[in-house]
Amino acid sequence: MRCAIYARVSTDEQATEGFSIPAQKERLESFIKSQGWHIHDFYIDDGYSAKNLERPQIKRMMKDIEANKFDVVVVYKLDRMVRSVADLHKLLKLFERNKVMFKSATEMFDTTSAMGRFFITLVGAMAEWERENIGERVKFGTQQMVEQGIRPGSPRPYGYEYTEGGELKIVEDEAKWVKFIFDKYATNGAQTIAIELNQMGIKNKKNDLWHGSSIRYILDNPIYAGLLRWDYRRRSGDVRIFNDDFTIAEFKQEGFQPIITKEQFELTQSLIKERATNRIRSTTHYPFSTIIRCSECGHKYVGRTEIRQPGNRPYRSYSCQGRKKYGVCNAASFSEEAMNEAFLKSLEYSLGQLDEIAAGHDINHIDVENSLLKIQNKKERAKELYIEGDISKKRYQELMNEYTKEENKLQSAIDEAEEVISTEEIKKFLLHLKDEWKDMDYEAQKKAIQSTFETITIKVIKKGTAGKNPKPAVLDIIDYQKR
Ligand SMILES: [Zn+2]
């Protein structure tokens, strides 16, 4: 294996032991030796910060990656190479395109092991999801508007129209059907209501046919009860994540006419929830279908649903196509539950690793802050000395220059530290995914998985058991390929 060593030290780190170029080099050389690899070249940016990729040696390294001069890049720590998720993502893509691996000698960030690849995949996914979620501030603004009772700019709800002054005015011909929908939902499903409206020749807002989801959209809209809701319904690409954390407020337009009572709206919401949990969710969405690879034969695992006992919840499972379709494999099928367990366990593992990394951090920050304080005190002192006539103007200016220089150095160290890929952030993301996973619907899970992974190779360690006390299979995730 041909290795490239990348090392970097910023000006203010040059004095710090452990970060010095010779220390990084020494550590990496012995690491590479232990792996039985050999060094192709050193790429050393001495006196550069990693706030972007504008560094001569990293640029040369990137060129050499494209020229296929080595197989693996080794760094002492990830933050030697990049300090932002976006740059990391960019580099990882370059590595991947050119089949170059990446290894941090002291951390889990690497692409040479399955776990490392999994982790990096998540980082990449996070970078992308984050980019799409930049609208946070905009959303915050919306929340404030809602709290003040102003309806954020949105299309008119069925049953109302906007007046020229931008106020909502009831449309009686539509409002009666809104009332009909809410009343009917007490005993009927959304789909049934849609069919009934269509049979009566009632058109929806777009002068089109009703369907289940347009009915549910109405049932879900609190404006009909004179309320506004801002929920944290984030959209990450096509992935929608829901939770119960929302703000509800009175719609404060003077003379506004609600169509239903707040009680009816609340009742409807609990009905929706109740039915959603009982509803057999769409069977066409299997989050891991075709992504799972069989460790025995390499074929895909495909999802399916069966009703094992009438009245029971349908049993969702994945089975190896090598076995089911081609009869060339013996690998066991397993329940979706087993797959979820294995997946969440991997997330937990990553979280554990993050805690280890985080343990060594942050102390530095406090030190720097203290040094900064000390310099400010020194500055004050110099000023006093000058005013008292104890030092000359020239000496005073010299001292001030010196202190200001030191101060700037420390300040930029703080700035840089703030740009570091924060393990806290990554952790938050993983925790979030872990918490939300079971509440996400199949479709959202599927999009999350299928947009992140190309394959997940699974080995069945222990078959699941059916019967009175069924136990899900025990699975081992032995490899990942990201998309
Ligand atoms: Zn198989």
Side-chain angles (χ1 to χ4, degrees), residues 293-301 320-323 328-332:
R293 287 299 141 84
C294 174
S295 65
E296 303 290 317
C297 71
H299 278 99
K300 294 167 179 173
Y301 266 75
C320 170
Q321 290 299 89
R323 177 177 182 165
V328 295
C329 182
N330 260 327

Side-chain angles (χ1 to χ4, degrees), residues 62 77 147 258 263 299 309 319 321 343-344 364 424 455:
M62 288 165 80
K77 278 178 85 177
E147 278 164 0
E263 290 72 32
H299 278 99
Q309 261 172 354
S319 30
Q321 290 299 89
F343 179 66
L344 293 174
N364 226 336
E424 274 309 304
T455 64

